[in-house]
Amino acid sequence: MADNEIRDAFIVGLRNAHAMENQALSIMKPQLSRIENYPEIAAKLEQHIRETEGQIIRLEDVLEGLDEDHSTLKDMALSFTGAMTAMGHTLAGDEILKNSFANFAFENFEIAAYKSLLTVADAGGFTAGKTALQSNLEEEEAMANWLNVNLAAVTQKFLLLREGGATAKI
């Protein structure tokens, strides 16, 4: 593959990752605003929202270092999609579980995206962006791991609250 084609693939991937992280914010922020009975999840979401905001800045820095910018249209489109996903879960009686499943899936999607971007960075010799991408990957892996480890406890707490007559509000 020609160097300019690798560069183009890298730029598209970075723009997609930027939009993906904005989508993540549009999913997590509405979830956080609704949480009442799961303070451990609220705390983790708050932490990951801050991490995600940092990831967006890292991606913008990498793009700027390549004299490129992010795609506002992609950012808006994926943010809208994320907000609609989060809103759809509010109708479910098991909203916290649906959110947990969706968050776990999305974190793994982000992990795959960053692993792919790191491969493209290697192929194109874009060493300046690798540290930022590796940091983003590690934060996504940590969040996915936390969700994985805590899914059973969230489900058990949901069942206990449901048994006690708790409402659908998470």
Side-chain angles (χ1 to χ4, degrees), residues 22-80:
N22 277 292
Q23 181 180 19
L25 288 177
S26 72
I27 292 169
M28 290 185 291
K29 286 181 176 180
Q31 289 178 10
L32 181 60
S33 71
R34 291 185 47 79
I35 292 178
E36 289 182 353
N37 296 315
Y38 301 85
E40 65 285 353
I41 295 175
K44 192 63 176 177
L45 279 176
E46 285 176 4
Q47 174 193 338
H48 198 56
I49 286 169
R50 287 190 306 276
E51 289 172 346
T52 301
E53 291 166 344
Q55 292 168 5
I56 290 169
I57 292 168
R58 285 186 205 119
L59 290 166
E60 289 171 351
D61 289 345
V62 174
L63 283 163
E64 285 174 19
L66 296 165
D67 293 324
E68 300 286 344
D69 59 3
H70 60 90
S71 170
T72 303
L73 181 59
K74 282 183 184 181
D75 289 353
M76 288 174 34
L78 288 181
S79 291
F80 176 77

Side-chain angles (χ1 to χ4, degrees), residues 66-141:
L66 296 165
D67 293 324
E68 300 286 344
D69 59 3
H70 60 90
S71 170
T72 303
L73 181 59
K74 282 183 184 181
D75 289 353
M76 288 174 34
L78 288 181
S79 291
F80 176 77
T81 305
M84 292 301 101
T85 299
M87 188 184 312
H89 291 176
T90 64
L91 303 174
D94 60 350
E95 179 181 358
I96 192 67
L97 298 181
K98 296 259 188 315
N99 287 346
S100 295
F101 306 158
N103 291 346
F104 183 72
F106 199 80
E107 292 303 322
N108 281 283
F109 178 85
E110 290 174 304
I111 289 167
Y114 284 118
K115 286 182 176 183
S116 178
L117 265 173
L118 283 162
T119 301
V120 176
D122 282 338
F126 301 109
T127 56
K130 285 187 66 176
T131 300
L133 296 173
Q134 188 63 43
S135 294
N136 288 8
L137 173 61
E138 289 169 6
E139 289 171 355
E140 301 303 354
E141 288 174 332

